[in-house]
Amino acid sequence: MSGTSAALTPPADAVAPVRHPEAPAPGELLGSHYEHCFGCGGEQPHGLHLAARAGEGVSVTAEFTVRPEHQGAPGLAHGGVLATALDETLGSLSWLLRVIAVTGRLETDFSAPVPVGTVLHVEARVVAVHGRKIYSTAVGRIGGPGGPVAVRADALFVEVKVDHFIDNGRPDEIRAAMADPDQIKRARAFEVNP
């Protein structure tokens, strides 16, 4: 995490991340944590529909295709959409730690334009953990997982309890998620960054 702000630099007593023993296996598709999530949900017609997979250690990979509704300048992805793709991928890391975490800080650097129709290949990993703070980094590439870097981000996620969502979310959506008879879907709705 070179060149990052002090807020994104783990303190000297931070520890190396440890993959939870019940984390999804490397290569396993993580799926949507909530069907209405703009980043990964299938029920968002203009969402990213980002597909993330568990990687080795405490890392994930993801892909999303830039569609016309994601453009800022004519024919190019909006920078905020690219930042969202990195944020969503970084949020997926909490699946491997088996914690609920939200974005506390995200710093994004843009290196190259990303045209509409491009598949953005994102890789994210946890760098360190310090109490409730999770330090992580991500890189987005075009032309394949080994292609040129288009965007990168460093982030600080903060572990929270499910009450964070219950106390702050819109009551109708919270009630609907809590009332879902599928216990796995209900739990997953609150597992990663909203």
Side-chain angles (χ1 to χ4, degrees):
M1 291 176 48
S2 62
T4 60
S5 70
L8 293 176
T9 302
D13 61 342
V15 297
V18 176
R19 184 188 188 102
H20 192 279
E22 296 177 20
E28 187 175 330
L29 185 65
L30 299 179
S32 170
H33 73 93
Y34 179 54
E35 61 190 15
H36 298 287
C37 174
F38 181 79
C40 65
E43 295 297 319
Q44 284 292 344
H46 300 298
L48 304 185
H49 303 154
L50 188 127
R53 291 186 180 278
E56 297 293 331
V58 188
S59 71
V60 295
T61 59
E63 292 182 356
F64 107 92
T65 301
V66 179
R67 298 191 318 262
E69 55 268 28
H70 299 142
Q71 65 189 311
L76 297 174
H78 189 288
V81 169
L82 297 176
T84 300
L86 293 179
D87 182 48
E88 183 68 27
T89 306
L90 288 158
S92 296
L93 290 165
S94 65
W95 292 70
L96 304 181
L97 299 173
R98 295 289 296 244
V99 300
I100 302 170
V102 296
T103 310
R105 185 176 186 100
L106 178 72
E107 291 185 11
T108 310
D109 295 309
F110 302 93
S111 304
V114 180
V116 169
T118 299
V119 176
L120 187 71
H121 300 268
V122 183
E123 183 175 350
R125 65 182 173 84
V126 176
V127 175
V129 176
H130 188 257
R132 294 176 43 227
K133 295 180 178 180
I134 302 164
Y135 296 86
S136 53
T137 189
V139 62
R141 299 174 183 271
I142 54 178
V149 173
V151 61
R152 63 179 78 239
D154 292 309
L156 170 65
F157 278 72
V158 180
E159 186 177 344
V160 297
K161 301 295 181 200
V162 74
D163 291 348
H164 168 84
F165 302 97
I166 293 169
D167 295 344
N168 296 293
R170 286 191 341 174
D172 289 346
E173 282 85 355
I174 296 296
R175 275 194 295 276
M178 295 297 279
D180 193 319
D182 184 331
Q183 291 186 12
I184 293 172
K185 282 179 64 180
R186 181 173 49 224
R188 287 181 67 175
F190 302 101
E191 282 187 343
V192 298
N193 179 39

